[in-house]
Amino acid sequence: MHSAPTSPAPSTALGAAPATAPRPYRSKTLATWLGLLGGPLGLHRFYLGGLGDVWGWLHPLPTLLGLWGLHRMDQLGQDDRLAWLLLPLLGLSFATAMLQTILIGLTPDERWHARHNPALAGRADAPAAGWGAVIPVILALILGAGVLMATIAFSGQRYFEYQVEEALKISQ
């Protein structure tokens, strides 16, 4: 076993930052809960990769567009075509976040620490996630599957209704 340095390397001339600063601890349990509660906004990605995570910034856009579609449908009804094009984005964004939550929560602790907490990799005293990460995985599976099925059903229904409307226009 090897031990990671507990203090950063001495700074270089003129008080510059050390070349390799120690990485902060990343909790698998917290990342899993963030994925469940704030996944469609990318909170789990920002927790793990910081504000520079490009994939984290790609989460809010489809979520917000889908919410706008939901608002349009509430205000204008189900016949608003833009709303039924935008609304599935919300469902797909949510289902994607739930899948990522499941993947985070089911990552073995050893692999988690190797990826996010290298100083703890291979150590016997490394913290284990336990039930704190399993419960959000179960909830993410239930919610994600339900939202994905609803999204597919809504999209399919709207598509076939549109096809029937167009066929009626042609037949008249």
Side-chain angles (χ1 to χ4, degrees):
M1 270 192 234
H2 67 285
S3 175
T6 56
S7 63
S11 61
T12 56
L14 301 174
T20 56
R23 294 177 61 180
Y25 174 75
R26 296 291 184 230
S27 167
K28 181 169 97 170
T29 302
L30 180 58
T32 307
W33 279 103
L34 284 172
L36 177 69
L37 300 174
L41 296 175
L43 297 183
H44 61 296
R45 299 289 311 201
F46 295 131
Y47 172 68
L48 295 174
L51 293 177
D53 186 354
V54 175
W55 290 106
W57 287 109
L58 292 177
H59 281 269
L61 181 62
T63 301
L64 293 174
L65 285 172
L67 287 172
W68 182 44
L70 184 63
H71 176 71
R72 284 183 62 96
M73 185 167 290
D74 182 48
Q75 297 297 314
L76 304 172
Q78 288 190 3
D79 292 332
D80 180 41
R81 287 192 182 153
L82 182 58
W84 66 263
L85 286 174
L86 293 175
L87 195 55
L89 289 175
L90 180 62
L92 293 175
S93 176
F94 190 86
T96 301
M98 294 305 104
L99 178 60
Q100 290 175 352
T101 299
I102 293 166
L103 291 174
I104 289 170
L106 293 181
T107 301
D109 290 336
E110 299 81 29
R111 212 162 73 192
W112 177 265
H113 290 306
R115 183 178 301 145
H116 298 287
N117 303 311
L120 297 173
R123 291 180 47 178
D125 61 342
W131 283 101
V134 173
I135 291 171
V137 166
I138 294 168
L139 295 172
L141 181 61
I142 294 168
L143 293 171
V147 167
L148 184 59
M149 287 187 293
T151 300
I152 292 169
F154 174 80
S155 299
Q157 174 188 349
R158 296 306 302 160
Y159 172 75
F160 289 116
E161 286 176 359
Y162 174 75
Q163 292 298 319
V164 168
E165 290 171 8
E166 292 301 314
L168 287 174
K169 286 180 189 174
I170 292 172
S171 67
Q172 291 176 359

